[in-house]
Amino acid sequence: MIMGRKTKLLLIPCSGDETSELAGDIYKILKNDYSLNDNVELLLSSNRSEIPQGTRKDHQHGLVADYFDGMEAQTDVGRNELKDVIRGKHIAIVEHLFTPSRTASVNDHIMAVRGMLDLVSKTETEKRTLIAPYFTYVRSHSIEKYEAQGFYQFDSLKLTLQDYKRDGLDAIITIDPHSNKAEQMAKAMQMDFYSINPFQSGRTIYQAKLGLKGQKAAKITKELRPFQELFAKLKLEHSDHLYGVSLDDGTERRSENFIERAHPELEPHDVYKLLAYLEKFRKSYDETIIRFKRFSEINDSNIDKDGVYVGIDDMWASGGTGDGVAKKFKKKKAKRFELWVSHAVTTEQQVEKANGRENIDLVRCLDTVPVANGLNVEVIKASSHFLAAELYKSHQRLITSG
């Protein structure tokens, strides 16, 4: 086995377009900002159509990642590239698991990842990590709660993680999964699961752990806290009329942390006066009850008419629930309501409804998902920085353990 301290990091995108671009961006950040230099490499695959006619299927063949007709995953490689380029390295497989405007479905992308894992398993590697900006099959996570009501759901998260484990995956790096159950289940299966909180503050970014100092440290720290930087600008513009909104139990802790860090000048009891607490209950697939929590100091009776309210959530789809939350504030004449989310998971079929929102003035989202064509959201390009930072830490743990 190759000693850990000599192990190189190899990024392999499973598909072209946005995914190859993301892998390339992560590669450049690691190489330049984190000074990995020649210790990080990038292996790009080809589509079948890019392979010259008459190319023999033998040991000299390059890596192919494509789909057969009918969208069955095709992943091929010659022995030379497998043994000379892939062998002995920390392999980071990069894939967008959801691409709303492309033909490939979530399941197609997962099979592409599994195909790449199968190829990689044909040689010795130090570690196999999946880099997935948005991790799929986490939505049906409240299984126990609904089973108590006599309602049963397919445990898609458990099955997905079991499949990855069987395929030889060692670690997953993702941004803001829909439930912390993903991390708990993965660890129970002896897989590393690194979940990135994009609403973190500068206090949670330990620069020394990232090998950073000086001007480079300041630059990267700013890139790793895009939502905090945006909120600071709004704070200057709206001073005493800027508020946060916790949409439900799932966003409460992060909303509190976000607002606390945004107002270091205030005592905790004054900070919470700037945060509205709501709760949601889904009675059925199409009916959601939204109301202020009993203890919320912001409620129906005191909405600020000059107020700018910022809701924090992990996902934006058709926008019905988010717009329902915003309606509670706009009905009381609030000046503005924005929704800040990690993932815009809107399909092309949902674009018209999402764009037809009546109460949300602006949706800001990260570029974890290549947004559907025509979707009216403001995209924040930060995924490559988040993923590069977490991959760097994971790789450093590997090479220092040898």
Side-chain angles (χ1 to χ4, degrees), residues 5 52 65 75-76 80 112 127 137 140 143 149 166 174 202 235 265 276 307 328 343 359 394 400:
R5 71 176 68 91
T75 314
D76 308 315
N80 289 2
K127 188 174 183 177
Y137 281 120
S140 294
I143 290 177
Q149 300 171 194
R166 280 193 291 265
T174 190
K235 191 177 169 184
E265 76 283 2
K328 294 189 73 64
H343 316 289
N359 302 288
S394 172
T400 56

Side-chain angles (χ1 to χ4, degrees), residues 336-349:
R336 186 173 178 81
F337 190 98
E338 295 189 9
L339 187 63
W340 295 5
V341 301
S342 302
H343 316 289
V345 295
T346 312
T347 65
E348 292 208 321
Q349 293 76 21

Side-chain angles (χ1 to χ4, degrees), residues 2-11 31 36-42 84-92 125-127 395 398-399:
I2 295 177
M3 292 298 290
R5 71 176 68 91
K6 298 179 181 178
T7 302
K8 287 189 176 184
L9 174 62
L10 177 64
L11 290 113
K31 186 179 181 70
L36 285 187
N37 302 318
D38 294 337
N39 290 311
V40 59
E41 299 174 352
L42 176 66
D84 298 340
V85 180
I86 295 175
R87 182 169 59 176
K89 294 173 183 171
H90 175 189
I91 307 302
T125 55
E126 287 291 325
K127 188 174 183 177
H395 187 64
L398 174 66
I399 63 176

Side-chain angles (χ1 to χ4, degrees), residues 141-372:
H141 63 90
S142 301
I143 290 177
E144 294 82 2
K145 180 180 79 173
Y146 287 110
E147 281 188 2
Q149 300 171 194
F151 182 74
Y152 295 86
Q153 296 175 300
F154 164 42
D155 197 343
S156 54
L157 173 59
K158 182 178 178 181
L159 181 63
T160 300
L161 290 173
Q162 286 174 337
D163 286 343
Y164 284 142
K165 178 65 177 178
R166 280 193 291 265
D167 292 339
L169 189 64
D170 298 307
I172 296 167
I173 296 176
T174 190
I175 297 172
D176 201 6
H178 190 55
S179 168
N180 59 12
K181 284 185 70 174
E183 182 174 357
Q184 295 166 2
M185 282 189 181
K187 287 185 175 180
M189 297 177 192
Q190 297 185 313
M191 280 194 294
D192 294 329
F193 193 100
Y194 304 109
S195 170
I196 301 164
N197 175 13
F199 293 94
Q200 65 191 344
S201 71
R203 295 186 191 183
T204 65
I205 302 167
Y206 184 27
Q207 296 171 344
K209 188 181 287 188
L210 295 174
L212 304 173
K213 58 184 177 180
Q215 291 184 338
K216 186 178 285 188
K219 169 182 172 288
I220 293 177
T221 299
K222 189 173 182 178
E223 288 164 342
L224 292 176
R225 56 192 307 270
F227 289 117
Q228 287 283 355
E229 294 292 324
L230 282 169
F231 199 84
K233 291 179 181 178
L234 285 181
K235 191 177 169 184
L236 290 174
E237 296 169 7
H238 301 283
S239 60
D240 298 330
H241 302 284
L242 181 61
Y243 307 92
V245 180
S246 169
L247 277 70
D248 55 25
D249 291 342
T251 66
E252 192 168 297
R253 182 179 297 180
R254 77 168 54 187
S255 299
E256 289 175 338
N257 180 267
F258 184 81
I259 293 298
E260 285 172 4
R261 298 296 188 242
H263 292 282
E265 76 283 2
L266 297 179
E267 293 295 327
H269 63 274
D270 290 322
V271 171
Y272 300 136
K273 293 177 182 177
L274 302 177
L275 182 62
Y277 290 85
L278 286 93
E279 58 186 351
K280 296 184 296 186
F281 178 73
R282 297 185 186 278
K283 290 185 65 177
S284 63
Y285 289 136
D286 53 4
E287 184 181 359
T288 302
I289 296 172
I290 302 168
R291 60 196 175 199
F292 286 99
K293 290 193 171 183
R294 286 185 303 103
F295 60 81
S296 180
E297 296 193 52
I298 297 175
N299 51 56
D300 288 308
S301 67
N302 60 2
I303 301 299
D304 183 357
K305 291 182 172 57
D306 294 316
V308 174
Y309 292 86
V310 176
I312 294 172
D313 208 353
D314 59 342
M315 294 197 306
W316 167 260
S318 64
T321 302
D323 205 51
V325 171
K327 185 178 180 180
K328 294 189 73 64
F329 294 87
K330 285 305 191 76
K331 193 175 180 181
K332 297 294 183 177
K333 308 300 181 186
K335 180 179 180 180
R336 186 173 178 81
F337 190 98
E338 295 189 9
L339 187 63
W340 295 5
V341 301
S342 302
H343 316 289
V345 295
T346 312
T347 65
E348 292 208 321
Q349 293 76 21
Q350 294 173 310
V351 167
E352 184 176 356
K353 181 179 179 182
N355 288 349
R357 58 185 184 265
E358 298 178 351
N359 302 288
I360 298 176
D361 296 286
L362 178 64
V363 176
R364 303 182 198 258
C365 66
L366 297 178
D367 57 339
T368 58
V369 174
V371 297

